[in-house]
Amino acid sequence: MLMTLTTDFGLKDPYQGAMKGAILSVNREARIIDITHLISPGNILEGALVMLESCGFFPKGTIHVGVVDPGVGGKRRPILVETERFLFVGPDNGLFSLVLRNEKVKRVVHLTEERYFRKEVSNTFHGRDIFGPVAAHLSKGVSPSGFGPEITDILGISLPEPEREKGVIAGEVIYVDSFGNIITNINGSDALSFGPDASLELNGKEIKGLKRTYSEAGNGSPLSLISSSDFLEIAVNAGDAGKAFNARVGDKVFLRAKG
Amino acid sequence: MLMTLTTDFGLKDPYQGAMKGAILSVNREARIIDITHLISPGNILEGALVMLESCGFFPKGTIHVGVVDPGVGGKRRPILVETERFLFVGPDNGLFSLVLRNEKVKRVVHLTEERYFRKEVSNTFHGRDIFGPVAAHLSKGVSPSGFGPEITDILGISLPEPEREKGVIAGEVIYVDSFGNIITNINGSDALSFGPDASLELNGKEIKGLKRTYSEAGNGSPLSLISSSDFLEIAVNAGDAGKAFNARVGDKVFLRAKG
Amino acid sequence: MLMTLTTDFGLKDPYQGAMKGAILSVNREARIIDITHLISPGNILEGALVMLESCGFFPKGTIHVGVVDPGVGGKRRPILVETERFLFVGPDNGLFSLVLRNEKVKRVVHLTEERYFRKEVSNTFHGRDIFGPVAAHLSKGVSPSGFGPEITDILGISLPEPEREKGVIAGEVIYVDSFGNIITNINGSDALSFGPDASLELNGKEIKGLKRTYSEAGNGSPLSLISSSDFLEIAVNAGDAGKAFNARVGDKVFLRAKG
């Protein structure tokens, strides 16, 4: 059974290894795929975006475990979300709210059945002690309804929404990736509706026209295009747009129709 | 058969990939789990701590390969340690000495049987040429005693021990994790024996009282609690204690009973 | 079926996770091994070197997927290379040209059969949309010839070649690893032919004699030896030669026979 992990545990510390050990101690046959362990510590929105851009590509039946959990040990509930295609396991803090937009939720369960946890549950590491073991039991075929009572009021977080006026969309930077490509919250179809001659402004710099590929711009030249996840993206061909535009999450982006 | 890897090979260079290839060339069915490849180069104590905090969570029968090996190619012996639950493979330099505290050692073998090594053994990369292939042969069922003569004198390293006086424990920082959480060498039960009103001093700053969870402190406030590995830990709720306390491995920590 | 990945996708972003999802959606049984996702963005030569030093250690039949692809979406062709031992899948930009030196090429195929791609192919992420799915279909047993027409003119890149004069080889630094070990383009047998008393010069500093192991030099002392991949290497025992020599890729290295 396939299981993915998205956490902020880092890749040096023993935490992601310990969590994998706890999973495999329940189900030796679990096949664990790392999405990432490098979410910025405690950054739920970043974790939600990475899950949005990756979980949906996995085959039906995959169990997605997400642990970005600054409230560990406190009042936030541990939950399980069953959708038509997937199971999600993690804290009820909004981490799944973006990826769930694309899924049909069948039920949400508050994880209360302690027999599916590690025998000793620490107050600081529920990835190892609750979420991993629960995911492992799920992968062995335990029914989602066996883990606790059904609930309906899970926490959501939302992406900032762009503002639209006649001929202008005012959006913002939501992510800068390791290539320096700048992802905005303006979706692809909205951007395309402005035509190929629209212009884009970010931090006082302008880009004219939408390209289809990086290499349509000259080496080292900035361009905008539709990202692989269908957002408006700003890049530099063979370069780092994040540095060139000094871009940070939250910076305003203006898309303007020509003329 | 499950096998874990803990090394200082890094995640960019070809070394951990080459080692996995060498393992799979001996046993295609080996299931390799990365604990970490980001131990600081040559830092045996750090590797020993990460193994202590992760290996024990794996199921019985797991083969744990550790390669932090600054003496590679020199006089240090390649060894295999069989315990009641696990097998450990790596250099005889103390790397396993902390995790072995929690295991019952059945036998230690000096790896001398070259038929279980790669055909050509380099002087600088025994992870690929000796430890990986030996672990792979172990995973195929070769008996530990087949790899060489039994020995009894393996090298140990130890954690610095805290000093106890009446009403005070003087310990030190042994690890700072990627969240900035500061792990000390004062164990959980000793800390708890001082009661919930004990105070802690690190680098001239004081923390009063022991908390149970991060979120019991205000956002951005320092706290102390028992770590998921049962050591006294200093953290900042939703923050980075390592930075806030300017903490480094070796810094002194004082736990004092109230009044 | 074993499959390795070598990319510049980074370990934080959703890209390598999404690519694995796309692979597993075609073949749930694919066994994916990460070589690295930390190739410097767009650095084809670095990717080619890492593949050279790792792919060959895997068992026969392994599918090696390489995606360092600054020309994605442009004119460069997606290809598949079948050799006697392996299959390579990725862009036709030279990424495979070093590792192919050690393999016997049986055929090269231009990937044109879109039925083996994801249904929607983006212009910026062919790892997820073309290379991953093609590798997954290969792992299910589709014949290489089924993916498109055979071609013969693939792009090569080459390592800089050392220059030889009587008693001197003038080479250069081709890689500095995470330990700070400096790998040159002078191969092991050429270096050994100069005898154990040859001297080496890099950035104005000289090293006398070739060692066999790191620990033959004193702690903190520089040495030269033959690397695990059979290149002349400069290291510092228990130290970082890259820093000590201020070495960068392209710096000149002179090996001189004893005079």
Side-chain angles (χ1 to χ4, degrees), chain B residues 98-145:
Chain B
L98 299 186
V99 69
L100 288 178
R101 289 182 182 185
N102 300 332
E103 309 299 326
K104 288 192 186 144
V105 175
K106 290 170 70 177
R107 101 177 90 188
V108 184
V109 171
H110 179 192
L111 304 171
T112 57
E113 286 294 327
E114 297 181 8
R115 66 193 144 138
Y116 297 120
F117 302 172
R118 272 190 79 232
K119 269 183 201 149
E120 292 173 61
V121 174
S122 71
N123 288 310
T124 56
F125 192 3
H126 286 185
R128 180 193 69 192
D129 298 341
I130 296 180
F131 303 123
V134 162
H137 284 288
L138 277 170
S139 75
K140 288 174 80 172
V142 176
S143 165
S145 61

Short mmCIF file of all heavy atoms in Angstrom, two decimals, chain B residues 98-145:
data_model
loop_
_atom_site.label_atom_id
_atom_site.label_comp_id
_atom_site.label_asym_id
_atom_site.label_seq_id
_atom_site.Cartn_x
_atom_site.Cartn_y
_atom_site.Cartn_z
N LEU B 98 25.99 4.40 21.27
CA LEU B 98 24.82 4.92 22.00
C LEU B 98 23.59 4.06 21.76
O LEU B 98 22.89 3.69 22.70
CB LEU B 98 24.55 6.37 21.61
CG LEU B 98 25.69 7.37 21.90
CD1 LEU B 98 25.25 8.79 21.61
CD2 LEU B 98 26.20 7.26 23.33
N VAL B 99 23.33 3.71 20.53
CA VAL B 99 22.13 2.90 20.25
C VAL B 99 22.24 1.53 20.92
O VAL B 99 21.24 0.94 21.34
CB VAL B 99 21.86 2.81 18.73
CG1 VAL B 99 22.90 1.99 18.01
CG2 VAL B 99 20.46 2.26 18.44
N LEU B 100 23.45 1.04 21.07
CA LEU B 100 23.62 -0.29 21.67
C LEU B 100 23.30 -0.32 23.16
O LEU B 100 23.05 -1.38 23.73
CB LEU B 100 25.04 -0.82 21.43
CG LEU B 100 25.33 -1.25 19.98
CD1 LEU B 100 26.78 -1.70 19.85
CD2 LEU B 100 24.37 -2.35 19.52
N ARG B 101 23.27 0.85 23.80
CA ARG B 101 22.83 0.90 25.20
C ARG B 101 21.46 0.30 25.40
O ARG B 101 21.14 -0.21 26.47
CB ARG B 101 22.70 2.36 25.66
CG ARG B 101 23.97 3.10 25.83
CD ARG B 101 23.54 4.47 26.33
NE ARG B 101 24.67 5.35 26.49
CZ ARG B 101 24.56 6.55 27.00
NH1 ARG B 101 23.38 7.01 27.38
NH2 ARG B 101 25.62 7.31 27.15
N ASN B 102 20.60 0.45 24.38
CA ASN B 102 19.22 -0.02 24.50
C ASN B 102 19.02 -1.42 23.94
O ASN B 102 17.90 -1.92 23.92
CB ASN B 102 18.27 0.91 23.74
CG ASN B 102 18.31 2.33 24.28
OD1 ASN B 102 18.60 2.52 25.46
ND2 ASN B 102 18.05 3.29 23.43
N GLU B 103 20.08 -2.04 23.45
CA GLU B 103 19.94 -3.35 22.81
C GLU B 103 20.76 -4.38 23.59
O GLU B 103 21.73 -4.03 24.26
CB GLU B 103 20.44 -3.30 21.35
CG GLU B 103 19.85 -2.18 20.51
CD GLU B 103 18.34 -2.26 20.38
OE1 GLU B 103 17.80 -3.38 20.35
OE2 GLU B 103 17.69 -1.18 20.34
N LYS B 104 20.36 -5.64 23.44
CA LYS B 104 21.14 -6.72 24.06
C LYS B 104 22.05 -7.32 23.00
O LYS B 104 21.58 -7.99 22.07
CB LYS B 104 20.20 -7.79 24.60
CG LYS B 104 19.46 -7.31 25.84
CD LYS B 104 18.74 -8.44 26.55
CE LYS B 104 17.90 -7.89 27.71
NZ LYS B 104 16.65 -8.63 27.89
N VAL B 105 23.33 -7.10 23.15
CA VAL B 105 24.29 -7.56 22.14
C VAL B 105 24.48 -9.07 22.24
O VAL B 105 24.70 -9.61 23.33
CB VAL B 105 25.65 -6.84 22.32
CG1 VAL B 105 26.68 -7.43 21.34
CG2 VAL B 105 25.49 -5.35 22.08
N LYS B 106 24.35 -9.75 21.13
CA LYS B 106 24.59 -11.19 21.09
C LYS B 106 26.01 -11.51 20.61
O LYS B 106 26.67 -12.40 21.11
CB LYS B 106 23.56 -11.87 20.17
CG LYS B 106 22.16 -11.86 20.76
CD LYS B 106 21.12 -12.30 19.78
CE LYS B 106 21.19 -13.77 19.43
NZ LYS B 106 20.08 -14.14 18.50
N ARG B 107 26.46 -10.78 19.61
CA ARG B 107 27.84 -11.01 19.17
C ARG B 107 28.30 -9.87 18.27
O ARG B 107 27.51 -9.18 17.64
CB ARG B 107 27.92 -12.35 18.45
CG ARG B 107 27.95 -12.33 16.96
CD ARG B 107 28.12 -13.72 16.41
NE ARG B 107 26.81 -14.31 16.21
CZ ARG B 107 26.60 -15.59 15.88
NH1 ARG B 107 27.61 -16.43 15.76
NH2 ARG B 107 25.39 -16.03 15.68
N VAL B 108 29.62 -9.69 18.24
CA VAL B 108 30.25 -8.71 17.35
C VAL B 108 31.22 -9.45 16.45
O VAL B 108 31.98 -10.31 16.92
CB VAL B 108 31.02 -7.63 18.16
CG1 VAL B 108 31.59 -6.58 17.23
CG2 VAL B 108 30.12 -7.00 19.22
N VAL B 109 31.17 -9.14 15.17
CA VAL B 109 32.01 -9.84 14.19
C VAL B 109 32.89 -8.83 13.46
O VAL B 109 32.42 -7.78 13.04
CB VAL B 109 31.12 -10.62 13.19
CG1 VAL B 109 31.94 -11.18 12.03
CG2 VAL B 109 30.37 -11.74 13.90
N HIS B 110 34.16 -9.15 13.35
CA HIS B 110 35.09 -8.37 12.54
C HIS B 110 34.92 -8.82 11.09
O HIS B 110 35.11 -9.99 10.77
CB HIS B 110 36.52 -8.63 13.04
CG HIS B 110 37.57 -7.89 12.27
ND1 HIS B 110 38.92 -8.16 12.39
CD2 HIS B 110 37.49 -6.89 11.36
CE1 HIS B 110 39.61 -7.37 11.60
NE2 HIS B 110 38.78 -6.60 10.96
N LEU B 111 34.54 -7.89 10.21
CA LEU B 111 34.26 -8.26 8.81
C LEU B 111 35.57 -8.49 8.06
O LEU B 111 36.28 -7.54 7.73
CB LEU B 111 33.45 -7.16 8.13
CG LEU B 111 32.13 -6.77 8.79
CD1 LEU B 111 31.53 -5.53 8.13
CD2 LEU B 111 31.15 -7.93 8.74
N THR B 112 35.86 -9.77 7.83
CA THR B 112 37.10 -10.08 7.12
C THR B 112 36.87 -10.92 5.86
O THR B 112 37.77 -11.04 5.04
CB THR B 112 38.06 -10.87 8.04
OG1 THR B 112 37.38 -12.06 8.49
CG2 THR B 112 38.49 -10.06 9.25
N GLU B 113 35.69 -11.51 5.72
CA GLU B 113 35.44 -12.40 4.59
C GLU B 113 35.22 -11.61 3.31
O GLU B 113 34.11 -11.14 3.02
CB GLU B 113 34.24 -13.29 4.89
CG GLU B 113 34.54 -14.40 5.89
CD GLU B 113 35.55 -15.42 5.34
OE1 GLU B 113 35.55 -15.67 4.12
OE2 GLU B 113 36.35 -15.93 6.16
N GLU B 114 36.27 -11.50 2.51
CA GLU B 114 36.22 -10.60 1.35
C GLU B 114 35.26 -11.05 0.26
O GLU B 114 34.89 -10.27 -0.60
CB GLU B 114 37.63 -10.41 0.78
CG GLU B 114 38.53 -9.75 1.79
CD GLU B 114 39.94 -9.52 1.25
OE1 GLU B 114 40.15 -9.74 0.04
OE2 GLU B 114 40.80 -9.11 2.05
N ARG B 115 34.87 -12.32 0.32
CA ARG B 115 33.91 -12.75 -0.71
C ARG B 115 32.57 -12.04 -0.59
O ARG B 115 31.76 -12.06 -1.51
CB ARG B 115 33.69 -14.27 -0.62
CG ARG B 115 33.01 -14.70 0.65
CD ARG B 115 33.10 -16.20 0.87
NE ARG B 115 33.26 -16.49 2.28
CZ ARG B 115 32.62 -17.46 2.92
NH1 ARG B 115 31.84 -18.29 2.24
NH2 ARG B 115 32.81 -17.66 4.20
N TYR B 116 32.32 -11.39 0.56
CA TYR B 116 31.08 -10.64 0.71
C TYR B 116 31.26 -9.14 0.41
O TYR B 116 30.35 -8.35 0.61
CB TYR B 116 30.50 -10.82 2.12
CG TYR B 116 30.13 -12.26 2.42
CD1 TYR B 116 30.73 -12.96 3.46
CD2 TYR B 116 29.18 -12.92 1.62
CE1 TYR B 116 30.39 -14.27 3.72
CE2 TYR B 116 28.85 -14.24 1.88
CZ TYR B 116 29.45 -14.92 2.92
OH TYR B 116 29.11 -16.21 3.18
N PHE B 117 32.47 -8.75 -0.02
CA PHE B 117 32.71 -7.35 -0.37
C PHE B 117 32.53 -7.19 -1.88
O PHE B 117 32.38 -8.17 -2.62
CB PHE B 117 34.15 -6.94 -0.02
CG PHE B 117 34.53 -7.10 1.43
CD1 PHE B 117 35.85 -6.92 1.83
CD2 PHE B 117 33.59 -7.41 2.42
CE1 PHE B 117 36.24 -7.06 3.15
CE2 PHE B 117 33.98 -7.56 3.76
CZ PHE B 117 35.31 -7.38 4.12
N ARG B 118 32.53 -5.94 -2.35
CA ARG B 118 32.62 -5.74 -3.80
C ARG B 118 33.95 -6.29 -4.28
O ARG B 118 34.92 -6.33 -3.53
CB ARG B 118 32.56 -4.25 -4.16
CG ARG B 118 31.14 -3.74 -4.35
CD ARG B 118 31.15 -2.33 -4.94
NE ARG B 118 31.39 -2.38 -6.35
CZ ARG B 118 32.32 -1.68 -6.99
NH1 ARG B 118 33.11 -0.86 -6.33
NH2 ARG B 118 32.46 -1.80 -8.29
N LYS B 119 34.02 -6.66 -5.55
CA LYS B 119 35.24 -7.26 -6.07
C LYS B 119 36.43 -6.34 -5.89
O LYS B 119 37.50 -6.74 -5.46
CB LYS B 119 35.07 -7.63 -7.54
CG LYS B 119 34.55 -9.05 -7.70
CD LYS B 119 34.46 -9.44 -9.16
CE LYS B 119 33.47 -10.60 -9.30
NZ LYS B 119 32.78 -10.58 -10.59
N GLU B 120 36.22 -5.06 -6.25
CA GLU B 120 37.30 -4.11 -6.03
C GLU B 120 36.92 -3.23 -4.85
O GLU B 120 35.86 -2.60 -4.86
CB GLU B 120 37.50 -3.23 -7.26
CG GLU B 120 38.03 -3.99 -8.44
CD GLU B 120 38.04 -3.10 -9.68
OE1 GLU B 120 38.73 -2.06 -9.66
OE2 GLU B 120 37.34 -3.43 -10.64
N VAL B 121 37.78 -3.22 -3.84
CA VAL B 121 37.51 -2.41 -2.66
C VAL B 121 38.42 -1.18 -2.68
O VAL B 121 39.63 -1.29 -2.67
CB VAL B 121 37.74 -3.22 -1.37
CG1 VAL B 121 37.59 -2.33 -0.14
CG2 VAL B 121 36.74 -4.38 -1.30
N SER B 122 37.79 0.01 -2.76
CA SER B 122 38.58 1.24 -2.74
C SER B 122 39.05 1.52 -1.32
O SER B 122 38.61 0.89 -0.36
CB SER B 122 37.71 2.41 -3.22
OG SER B 122 36.75 2.71 -2.22
N ASN B 123 39.94 2.48 -1.18
CA ASN B 123 40.43 2.86 0.15
C ASN B 123 39.64 4.01 0.76
O ASN B 123 39.94 4.44 1.87
CB ASN B 123 41.89 3.29 0.06
CG ASN B 123 42.79 2.10 -0.17
OD1 ASN B 123 42.68 1.10 0.53
ND2 ASN B 123 43.64 2.18 -1.17
N THR B 124 38.66 4.51 0.02
CA THR B 124 37.99 5.73 0.48
C THR B 124 36.47 5.60 0.55
O THR B 124 35.80 6.55 0.95
CB THR B 124 38.32 6.90 -0.47
OG1 THR B 124 37.94 6.51 -1.80
CG2 THR B 124 39.79 7.23 -0.44
N PHE B 125 35.94 4.44 0.19
CA PHE B 125 34.48 4.36 0.10
C PHE B 125 34.01 2.96 0.49
O PHE B 125 33.56 2.17 -0.33
CB PHE B 125 34.05 4.72 -1.32
CG PHE B 125 32.56 4.96 -1.50
CD1 PHE B 125 31.67 4.93 -0.43
CD2 PHE B 125 32.05 5.26 -2.76
CE1 PHE B 125 30.32 5.15 -0.61
CE2 PHE B 125 30.69 5.48 -2.94
CZ PHE B 125 29.83 5.43 -1.88
N HIS B 126 34.11 2.66 1.79
CA HIS B 126 33.72 1.34 2.26
C HIS B 126 32.21 1.19 2.40
O HIS B 126 31.71 0.07 2.47
CB HIS B 126 34.44 1.02 3.57
CG HIS B 126 35.89 0.71 3.35
ND1 HIS B 126 36.73 0.30 4.35
CD2 HIS B 126 36.64 0.74 2.22
CE1 HIS B 126 37.95 0.10 3.86
NE2 HIS B 126 37.92 0.37 2.57
N GLY B 127 31.47 2.30 2.41
CA GLY B 127 30.00 2.19 2.37
C GLY B 127 29.55 1.43 1.13
O GLY B 127 28.73 0.51 1.21
N ARG B 128 30.12 1.79 0.01
CA ARG B 128 29.77 1.14 -1.25
C ARG B 128 30.43 -0.23 -1.38
O ARG B 128 29.84 -1.17 -1.91
CB ARG B 128 30.24 2.03 -2.41
CG ARG B 128 29.96 1.48 -3.79
CD ARG B 128 30.72 2.27 -4.86
NE ARG B 128 32.16 2.04 -4.75
CZ ARG B 128 33.10 2.74 -5.38
NH1 ARG B 128 32.76 3.75 -6.16
NH2 ARG B 128 34.37 2.46 -5.22
N ASP B 129 31.65 -0.35 -0.87
CA ASP B 129 32.48 -1.52 -1.20
C ASP B 129 32.45 -2.61 -0.14
O ASP B 129 32.72 -3.77 -0.44
CB ASP B 129 33.92 -1.07 -1.45
CG ASP B 129 34.03 -0.11 -2.63
OD1 ASP B 129 33.08 -0.08 -3.46
OD2 ASP B 129 35.03 0.62 -2.72
N ILE B 130 32.16 -2.26 1.10
CA ILE B 130 32.14 -3.27 2.17
C ILE B 130 30.80 -3.27 2.91
O ILE B 130 30.08 -4.27 2.92
CB ILE B 130 33.29 -3.04 3.18
CG1 ILE B 130 34.65 -3.25 2.47
CG2 ILE B 130 33.16 -4.00 4.37
CD1 ILE B 130 35.86 -3.06 3.36
N PHE B 131 30.42 -2.14 3.52
CA PHE B 131 29.27 -2.17 4.43
C PHE B 131 27.96 -2.45 3.69
O PHE B 131 27.12 -3.24 4.17
CB PHE B 131 29.18 -0.87 5.22
CG PHE B 131 30.44 -0.57 6.00
CD1 PHE B 131 31.13 0.62 5.81
CD2 PHE B 131 30.94 -1.49 6.90
CE1 PHE B 131 32.30 0.89 6.52
CE2 PHE B 131 32.11 -1.23 7.62
CZ PHE B 131 32.79 -0.03 7.41
N GLY B 132 27.77 -1.79 2.55
CA GLY B 132 26.55 -2.04 1.77
C GLY B 132 26.44 -3.50 1.33
O GLY B 132 25.43 -4.16 1.60
N PRO B 133 27.47 -4.02 0.65
CA PRO B 133 27.39 -5.42 0.23
C PRO B 133 27.23 -6.40 1.39
O PRO B 133 26.46 -7.37 1.29
CB PRO B 133 28.73 -5.63 -0.50
CG PRO B 133 29.07 -4.27 -1.03
CD PRO B 133 28.60 -3.31 0.02
N VAL B 134 27.92 -6.18 2.51
CA VAL B 134 27.76 -7.08 3.66
C VAL B 134 26.32 -7.05 4.16
O VAL B 134 25.70 -8.09 4.41
CB VAL B 134 28.75 -6.70 4.79
CG1 VAL B 134 28.32 -7.31 6.12
CG2 VAL B 134 30.17 -7.14 4.42
N ALA B 135 25.76 -5.84 4.27
CA ALA B 135 24.37 -5.72 4.72
C ALA B 135 23.44 -6.45 3.75
O ALA B 135 22.48 -7.11 4.16
CB ALA B 135 23.97 -4.25 4.84
N ALA B 136 23.74 -6.35 2.46
CA ALA B 136 22.89 -7.01 1.46
C ALA B 136 22.98 -8.53 1.59
O ALA B 136 21.98 -9.23 1.48
CB ALA B 136 23.29 -6.56 0.06
N HIS B 137 24.18 -9.04 1.83
CA HIS B 137 24.31 -10.50 2.04
C HIS B 137 23.59 -10.92 3.32
O HIS B 137 22.92 -11.96 3.36
CB HIS B 137 25.78 -10.91 2.07
CG HIS B 137 26.42 -10.95 0.71
ND1 HIS B 137 26.13 -11.92 -0.23
CD2 HIS B 137 27.32 -10.12 0.12
CE1 HIS B 137 26.83 -11.70 -1.34
NE2 HIS B 137 27.55 -10.61 -1.16
N LEU B 138 23.70 -10.11 4.38
CA LEU B 138 22.94 -10.40 5.60
C LEU B 138 21.45 -10.46 5.29
O LEU B 138 20.73 -11.35 5.77
CB LEU B 138 23.17 -9.30 6.64
CG LEU B 138 24.42 -9.40 7.50
CD1 LEU B 138 24.60 -8.11 8.30
CD2 LEU B 138 24.34 -10.60 8.45
N SER B 139 20.98 -9.54 4.47
CA SER B 139 19.54 -9.49 4.17
C SER B 139 19.11 -10.70 3.35
O SER B 139 17.92 -11.01 3.28
CB SER B 139 19.19 -8.19 3.43
OG SER B 139 19.62 -8.24 2.09
N LYS B 140 20.07 -11.37 2.72
CA LYS B 140 19.75 -12.59 1.98
C LYS B 140 19.83 -13.82 2.87
O LYS B 140 19.63 -14.94 2.42
CB LYS B 140 20.72 -12.77 0.80
CG LYS B 140 20.47 -11.79 -0.32
CD LYS B 140 21.52 -11.91 -1.39
CE LYS B 140 21.26 -13.07 -2.33
NZ LYS B 140 22.21 -13.04 -3.49
N GLY B 141 20.19 -13.63 4.13
CA GLY B 141 20.14 -14.74 5.05
C GLY B 141 21.49 -15.34 5.43
O GLY B 141 21.53 -16.33 6.17
N VAL B 142 22.59 -14.76 4.93
CA VAL B 142 23.89 -15.26 5.37
C VAL B 142 24.01 -15.05 6.88
O VAL B 142 23.65 -13.98 7.40
CB VAL B 142 25.05 -14.53 4.64
CG1 VAL B 142 26.41 -14.98 5.17
CG2 VAL B 142 24.95 -14.74 3.14
N SER B 143 24.50 -16.04 7.59
CA SER B 143 24.59 -15.94 9.05
C SER B 143 25.68 -14.95 9.45
O SER B 143 26.76 -14.91 8.85
CB SER B 143 24.94 -17.31 9.62
OG SER B 143 25.37 -17.17 10.96
N PRO B 144 25.42 -14.14 10.48
CA PRO B 144 26.43 -13.18 10.95
C PRO B 144 27.80 -13.83 11.17
O PRO B 144 28.83 -13.22 10.90
CB PRO B 144 25.84 -12.66 12.26
CG PRO B 144 24.36 -12.76 12.06
CD PRO B 144 24.15 -14.00 11.22
N SER B 145 27.81 -15.06 11.65
CA SER B 145 29.10 -15.69 11.95
C SER B 145 29.90 -16.01 10.70
O SER B 145 31.10 -16.30 10.78
CB SER B 145 28.87 -16.99 12.75
OG SER B 145 28.10 -17.88 11.97
#
